[in-house]
Amino acid sequence: MEKAKVYFTDFRASLNQNLLQKLEKLVVKAGIEQLDFQNKFAAIKIHFGEPGNLAYLRPNYAKVIVDLVKRNGGRPFLTDCNTLYVGRRKNALDHLDAAYENGYNPFATGCHVIIADGLKGTDEALVPVPDGKYVKEAKIGRAIMDADMFITLTHFKGHEATGFGGTFKNIGMGCGSRAGKMEMHSSGKPNVHPELCISCGECRKNCAHDAISFVDYTGENRPGSRAERKNAKKRAFIDHNKCVGCGRCIGACPEDAVKAGTDEANDILNYKIAEYTYAVIHGRPNFHISLVIDVSPYCDCHAENDIPIVPDIGMFASFDPVALDQACADAVNRQPVIEGSVLSEKEHCHHDHFTDTHPDTNWESCLEHAVKMGMGSREYELIEIK
């Protein structure tokens, strides 16, 4: 079987070629113009970044792709779906405000922004997943499914539930309506380790479902005398009847007191993301771009970003989303760890930067499942573009 082709260019620039020109050259060499854009609606899936987070992709990169699609006769729009958690992207009005604030507006990018699942995240298309083991009918933002063709522009970085956020995370989780996101997250529900909890309230502040309360800590392993235990602060508790398993509290906790339920649950989350991706891309033209820059340990859904865990690497493009994510992960794992980053403080026992950063995750499970579903290959040829 022929290896998938993944095209790559680094972030070195010169007086004759800036990074935006390199991105255009990369995607053209990778074959994006082979697609028939003429009079077609082209959805460009991107993460606009939660305001306060500065690791999201600059809109300048998106304009390169928008201009190229328009030059080839297409009708592009930038898109994402609403979120489950507390933040400024829970409904279309706030989401548009956030996108515009971060520079994703028609004046900067040359095209409109459409929040694909509508005002309240309920405008969804039900898309069959014939070979789905966990999802039989994916709930996808309607505007994404109304598009004739589908392009992704992904910020490749770490993620507290899936290991890393790459092309599959951008598509599968990102294109799910609010109900779809809830379906994907429903397998794994986190727990609080009370001995680590400092009762700061960050987890509750970031819970959109009122699932976290503070209760007396009466565990057997609680330190101190009986009197000290009686007077001790309360500890956070997660009500799994209300929790949807979105994992926002895991990233919000400053003490790593909130842990994912089980490794199996995170694997199921990744399987569902793969199946949702299948629903989005199956049967229509698609093309994928990933920028491995500002590789922060957490998702751009956070209203903050930590320093990168590895140096900036470059830009990747491919028709094969599996090979693309694999190539980006391999490139990150070849890099030295940045001193002072979250990763530099972790025990390096897995020979994998993402697993060392988030030990309860297993990013490979998503790609393994995607291969089984016929979405691509983990074997690839890396073609460097100067």
Side-chain angles (χ1 to χ4, degrees):
M1 181 178 177
E2 186 179 356
K3 292 182 178 180
K5 288 181 170 60
V6 177
Y7 292 77
F8 164 77
T9 191
D10 60 30
F11 283 119
R12 297 297 302 275
S14 68
L15 293 175
N16 300 317
Q17 184 173 233
N18 63 35
L19 294 182
L20 301 180
Q21 292 167 329
K22 290 190 79 171
L23 174 59
E24 180 178 353
K25 184 177 181 180
L26 172 75
V27 298
V28 169
K29 289 287 188 180
I32 193 172
E33 292 184 310
Q34 296 172 17
L35 299 174
D36 177 14
F37 286 106
Q38 195 64 39
N39 297 320
K40 303 287 200 322
F41 289 106
I44 303 174
K45 173 63 180 72
I46 197 165
H47 193 305
F48 301 118
E50 187 72 21
N53 186 305
L54 299 178
Y56 67 92
L57 295 182
R58 295 184 182 187
N60 311 65
Y61 293 114
K63 189 175 190 304
V64 171
I65 308 305
V66 168
D67 288 348
L68 191 151
V69 171
K70 291 166 74 172
R71 191 167 69 239
N72 282 273
R75 306 189 67 185
F77 63 94
L78 298 173
T79 191
D80 199 1
C81 289
N82 292 306
T83 63
L84 270 179
Y85 52 79
V86 172
R88 290 183 51 192
R89 297 179 303 118
K90 279 182 64 179
N91 63 73
L93 297 184
D94 291 344
H95 204 155
L96 284 170
D97 284 343
Y100 282 20
E101 183 177 316
N102 282 344
Y104 286 98
N105 58 69
F107 305 103
T109 63
C111 75
H112 289 288
V113 172
I114 297 177
I115 307 306
D117 59 344
L119 181 63
K120 297 182 180 180
T122 57
D123 188 13
E124 61 194 17
L126 301 179
V127 184
V129 185
D131 298 321
K133 181 178 179 181
Y134 300 92
V135 178
K136 299 302 180 186
E137 197 172 56
K139 303 171 181 69
I140 308 297
R142 187 174 301 279
I144 287 170
M145 295 312 300
D146 283 346
D148 301 302
M149 51 210 325
F150 184 77
I151 300 169
T152 61
L153 182 57
T154 299
H155 173 215
F156 193 90
K157 68 283 180 187
H159 194 278
E160 56 271 28
T162 59
F164 64 66
T167 298
F168 275 87
K169 181 70 165 52
N170 189 15
I171 303 173
M173 185 59 69
C175 292
S177 66
R178 296 195 78 217
K181 288 181 172 65
M182 192 173 298
E183 178 180 32
M184 283 180 274
H185 278 304
S186 62
S187 292
K189 298 186 179 182
N191 295 290
V192 176
H193 289 224
E195 67 276 7
L196 299 177
C197 176
I198 60 172
S199 305
C200 66
E202 287 299 314
C203 56
R204 182 164 63 183
K205 187 190 304 181
N206 282 274
C207 180
H209 304 277
D210 195 30
I212 300 177
S213 58
F214 285 83
V215 300
D216 288 330
Y217 176 27
T218 58
E220 291 293 325
N221 296 323
R222 181 174 161 185
S225 65
R226 182 174 183 180
E228 288 172 332
R229 293 198 299 271
K230 184 177 180 181
N231 294 324
K233 290 181 179 179
K234 295 177 181 292
R235 300 293 189 262
F237 172 77
I238 300 173
D239 183 348
H240 285 183
N241 291 321
K242 296 180 178 179
C243 173
V244 300
C246 72
R248 180 72 173 170
C249 53
I250 297 173
C253 180
E255 301 295 319
D256 290 329
V258 186
K259 306 290 185 182
T262 65
D263 291 339
E264 180 186 14
N266 276 335
D267 282 350
I268 293 173
L269 170 62
N270 272 328
Y271 298 153
K272 289 181 176 180
I273 286 173
E275 294 183 3
Y276 261 69
T277 298
Y278 181 90
V280 173
I281 68 175
H282 181 67
R284 61 173 170 168
N286 58 93
F287 184 84
H288 312 284
I289 309 151
S290 279
L291 274 60
V292 188
I293 184 173
D294 293 323
V295 186
S296 51
Y298 302 113
C299 183
D300 289 345
C301 293
H302 287 251
E304 83 293 327
N305 58 282
D306 209 342
I307 68 170
I309 58 175
V310 297
D312 294 343
I313 297 172
M315 300 180 271
F316 297 74
S318 181
F319 283 102
D320 187 325
V322 179
L324 183 60
D325 267 358
Q326 184 69 56
C328 291
D330 290 344
V332 169
N333 280 325
R334 286 193 293 267
Q335 298 302 306
V337 177
I338 290 181
E339 188 63 33
S341 68
V342 165
L343 180 55
S344 72
E345 300 167 353
K346 300 285 187 175
E347 182 181 1
H348 298 273
C349 57
H350 300 95
H351 307 291
D352 182 283
H353 289 337
F354 299 109
T355 308
D356 284 333
T357 303
H358 302 293
D360 292 328
T361 64
N362 175 22
W363 60 265
E364 293 192 76
S365 60
C366 181
L367 300 189
E368 290 168 353
H369 198 57
V371 170
K372 290 178 182 177
M373 296 186 73
M375 281 185 276
S377 170
R378 297 180 69 179
E379 300 292 324
Y380 62 91
E381 175 190 0
L382 191 66
I383 303 168
E384 185 169 3
I385 306 298
K386 296 293 187 181

